[in-house]
Amino acid sequence: MKYFFINLMVFLCFGFVNAQDQYQVFDREGTEVSLAQIITEANEKPLIFFGEIHDQSFAHQAELEVLKGLHEKYKDRVVIGMEMFEADVQPIIDEYFSGQINQKSFETESRIWSNYKSDYKPILEYAKENGIKLIGTNVPRRYANAVYHQGLSILDSLSDYAKQFFPKLPIQIDTTIQIYQEMLMMMPDHSNANMIYSQGLKDATMSHFILKNKNADEIFIHLNGSYHSKNKQGILSFLKDYPLEKTITIQTVLREKDHDIDFSSSDYTIIKI
């Protein structure tokens, strides 16, 4: 029996180490650090943007570890926001977290992403189990799609009901900032400005709902694709009077042969080993 427990402890320890060894964390200077440094720094910089690669499990593992670390240290001061949920499904999130509806109803009606069950469900369920408020920050995709096809002016024609799910019009989007120009260059003909306006609408809306739901004494961690917070642009471009020096940005990247990693585009970089 003694050897059984020894073997069990070895298995659990090595299992934990292997899970953590899937990524490394670096600061802006390229010095390796730990997640604990981010969690400690959050007390002075209580708005955290976790820029993920949507289809990479190591990024979601790191997100969950950061959330757990924040909750263990700061308890009920922690709030989480997610790009993956749109603002008009907030009542469904609230109903599920309060136990008014079951898991099946929640997942059926909240327009979950295709990789929700493998990548985001553990994060959401941890938040639910620990009483962490979760905010769906993104614009309903039908409006982002409308802007992509018809331009930003289409928002003016929408109903008052629709307009509650994005910032007050007019929305000023600076199409010249670096991340939007990089996105434009990725397009085949480099000419679809509506793509930038659609992205800008998402960024402006996420900023709007973050600021609307963050109280002064809270630590707010927001999960979003890396291009929504790269170079402290994107969502952060719409933070109005919130000081950028009170924010932390995290990016996740894959190590590519013969390609240098730009550590300077975020406060912290998490790299898959």
Side-chain angles (χ1 to χ4, degrees):
M1 181 62 70
K2 180 176 73 173
Y3 293 109
F4 168 80
F5 283 110
I6 291 173
N7 289 335
L8 177 61
M9 290 303 296
V10 170
F11 170 80
L12 291 175
C13 288
F14 275 101
F16 179 77
V17 170
N18 288 340
Q20 299 309 303
D21 280 349
Q22 291 183 15
Y23 57 80
Q24 294 173 291
V25 185
F26 298 86
D27 65 14
R28 191 175 277 275
E29 284 70 45
T31 302
E32 186 169 4
V33 297
S34 68
L35 290 182
Q37 179 168 317
I38 301 174
I39 291 161
T40 299
E41 191 174 353
N43 193 49
E44 300 298 324
K45 300 179 179 181
L47 183 48
I48 305 166
F49 293 89
F50 199 117
E52 65 170 45
I53 305 173
H54 292 317
D55 62 353
Q56 291 294 318
S57 61
F58 84 96
H60 306 299
Q61 176 194 328
E63 288 170 336
L64 181 56
E65 291 301 321
V66 171
L67 179 62
K68 286 180 177 179
L70 290 172
H71 178 251
E72 289 168 4
K73 188 173 181 67
Y74 303 111
K75 306 301 181 186
D76 59 359
R77 291 176 60 197
V78 179
V79 178
I80 182 171
M82 296 180 69
E83 173 195 359
M84 302 80 201
F85 291 100
E86 296 157 31
D88 61 340
V89 305
Q90 189 64 50
I92 303 172
I93 296 172
D94 295 342
E95 289 165 357
Y96 179 51
F97 273 45
S98 68
Q100 294 172 301
I101 63 173
N102 62 26
Q103 187 176 93
K104 182 179 180 181
S105 295
F106 167 73
E107 293 180 2
T108 299
E109 299 187 38
S110 59
R111 300 196 292 275
I112 57 175
W113 288 16
S114 60
N115 61 332
Y116 169 77
K117 292 186 178 180
S118 61
D119 294 328
Y120 301 112
K121 186 172 183 175
I123 297 169
L124 182 137
E125 292 297 331
Y126 179 86
K128 180 177 182 292
E129 291 167 9
N130 289 278
I132 300 171
K133 187 175 182 180
L134 188 146
I135 306 298
T137 60
N138 208 352
V139 68
R141 63 194 71 176
R142 57 189 179 273
Y143 305 138
N145 186 58
V147 168
Y148 180 79
H149 289 287
Q150 302 179 66
L152 201 59
S153 61
I154 191 65
L155 299 177
D156 294 312
S157 67
L158 296 176
S159 68
D160 289 341
Y161 171 80
K163 289 175 182 176
Q164 68 181 307
F165 301 121
F166 48 79
K168 183 178 179 181
L169 299 176
I171 300 172
Q172 301 297 327
I173 298 173
D174 182 359
T175 62
T176 66
I177 65 175
Q178 181 182 346
I179 59 167
Y180 291 157
Q181 287 300 306
E182 286 181 9
M183 292 181 64
L184 191 61
M185 293 303 295
M186 295 177 189
M187 297 296 291
D189 58 0
H190 312 315
S191 63
N192 191 349
N194 283 347
M195 181 198 69
I196 295 180
Y197 289 129
S198 179
Q199 180 83 351
L201 173 62
K202 294 177 183 179
D203 289 336
T205 301
M206 287 188 274
S207 176
H208 171 74
F209 283 107
I210 289 169
L211 294 177
K212 183 177 180 180
N213 289 281
K214 186 191 181 308
N215 295 321
D217 61 339
E218 290 177 336
I219 294 171
F220 197 114
I221 178 171
H222 189 263
L223 310 187
N224 51 262
S226 60
Y227 259 83
H228 289 292
S229 53
K230 183 180 178 182
N231 295 325
K232 298 213 176 207
Q233 297 176 353
I235 301 170
L236 289 83
S237 302
F238 296 93
L239 285 181
K240 300 177 182 177
D241 297 327
Y242 193 91
L244 291 183
E245 61 269 20
K246 293 289 187 179
T247 66
I248 296 173
T249 54
I250 303 169
Q251 66 174 342
T252 51
V253 300
L254 298 174
R255 195 184 301 274
E256 299 182 29
K257 186 178 181 181
D258 300 326
H259 282 77
D260 292 332
I261 294 172
D262 180 11
F263 294 105
S264 67
S265 59
S266 290
D267 294 317
Y268 293 95
T269 298
I270 299 178
I271 304 174
K272 182 178 180 179
I273 297 176

